[in-house]
Amino acid sequence: MDGNGRWAEKNGLERVFGHKEGVSSVRSVVEGAGEMGIEYLTLYAFSTENWNRPKEEVDALMGLLVQAIVNETDNLDKNNVSLRAIGDLASMPPEVQSNLAGAIDKTAENTGLRLVLALSYSGRWELAEATRRIADALKNDKIDKSSINEELIAKYLPTFGLPDPDLLIRTGGDFRVSNFLLWQIAYTELYFTHKLWPEYRKEDLFEAVKDFQKRERRFGKTSEQIRI
Ligand code: IPE
Ligand code: MG
């Protein structure tokens, strides 16, 4: 979800207003995902690297996050959405942690869209974290070196239980991945749009999915093999 700051600037506003407007985009896209029957949606809300932004902006983002969780949880629950979070959650402010835990708990039994918030998250962070945990398991004789394979590594990632994404959408006109789900996007279709996140709505998501549907996913095989 990129482009909040630029949207604000374009409209002669402080950056924080871009983040505020971005919450409306989240609402629309979550709604649209539910309507389309999408099963999993992961939102990259705050990266490990975002901690390096000016303190006022980080504080404003944390405040907005708490506000969004408080305001939206009932609605998510009504729409059968279940919430989950990935990232270094212990590094988040206590107010975020408690509200998030409450929302996750409240929506845990829901069977519709699984909404995943990536918070204080980066792909390299989670791989380092998984490596530490695998090292512990080895040291404590819980696993054997020969059992370390791709499946086992996936089990030590916070995304365990979530399928690899089919489609990754980046808004804001930059063509990069910025440390998002590095392990999981090995065969993900990438979709980039110039639209800034605060302007993004469910109709844009529908368009991205339509584009996705035209693609041939070969997973290393030949076109001929796929068509059989
Ligand atoms: C994305 O918008 C929001 C977060 C990273 C939290 P940006 O804040 O990165 O907006 P730009 O890239 O400066 O326009
Ligand atoms: Mg940005």
Side-chain angles (χ1 to χ4, degrees):
M1 302 185 286
D2 199 17
N4 294 356
R6 278 163 286 165
W7 179 87
E9 203 176 309
K10 206 172 85 176
N11 290 283
L13 301 165
E14 298 279 344
R15 291 180 59 85
V16 62
F17 290 100
H19 298 313
K20 267 192 190 155
E21 192 56 29
V23 179
S24 308
S25 305
V26 169
R27 204 177 295 121
S28 174
V29 163
V30 168
E31 213 177 86
E35 286 167 16
M36 254 190 291
I38 286 177
E39 290 176 279
Y40 300 89
L41 177 68
T42 302
L43 299 173
Y44 201 2
F46 194 82
S47 74
T48 307
E49 290 77 19
N50 285 150
W51 287 114
N52 298 321
R53 291 193 176 195
K55 187 181 181 304
E56 309 82 73
E57 183 166 343
V58 171
D59 289 348
L61 280 166
M62 294 302 151
L64 274 176
L65 187 58
V66 170
Q67 222 181 73
I69 296 168
V70 169
N71 293 340
E72 304 295 335
T73 301
D74 280 351
N75 205 28
L76 291 176
D77 192 36
K78 255 185 236 134
N79 290 319
N80 201 21
V81 175
S82 79
L83 191 67
R84 170 169 172 175
I86 55 171
D88 187 9
L89 303 178
S91 71
M92 298 301 276
E95 223 196 334
V96 172
Q97 289 188 45
S98 56
N99 281 289
L100 186 63
I104 290 172
D105 200 49
K106 183 163 189 195
T107 60
E109 305 296 318
N110 292 341
T111 54
L113 175 72
R114 314 284 148 104
L115 179 62
V116 184
L117 291 183
L119 295 171
S120 190
Y121 171 88
S122 76
R124 288 183 175 182
W125 167 81
E126 75 174 358
L127 287 166
E129 185 69 14
T131 307
R132 285 187 285 271
R133 294 180 51 213
I134 291 169
D136 268 345
L138 266 177
K139 202 170 94 187
N140 300 327
D141 287 326
K142 296 242 165 62
I143 57 167
D144 194 73
K145 184 179 155 196
S146 63
S147 68
I148 301 178
N149 55 21
E150 292 180 17
E151 212 183 323
L152 181 126
I153 293 170
K155 275 189 191 154
Y156 281 83
L157 295 173
T159 47
F160 179 55
L162 302 169
D164 287 344
D166 288 314
L167 175 64
L168 183 158
I169 301 169
R170 181 182 183 133
T171 62
D174 281 322
F175 301 96
R176 51 177 172 259
V177 168
S178 300
N179 222 343
F180 187 53
L181 298 174
L182 298 179
W183 172 272
Q184 299 85 347
I185 62 169
Y187 275 97
T188 296
E189 294 297 323
L190 308 180
Y191 182 92
F192 297 95
T193 168
H194 283 280
K195 218 168 231 195
L196 303 171
W197 178 250
E199 294 167 344
Y200 204 80
R201 288 295 180 273
K202 61 168 106 167
E203 291 75 19
D204 301 297
L205 176 67
F206 298 159
E207 207 177 293
V209 169
K210 257 197 240 165
D211 187 274
F212 167 83
Q213 286 172 330
K214 283 190 255 163
R215 300 187 189 188
E216 181 187 63
R217 306 184 75 194
R218 293 186 293 279
F219 298 97
K221 295 183 178 175
T222 68
S223 213
E224 199 181 13
Q225 284 177 299
I226 295 305
R227 277 192 241 108
I228 300 167

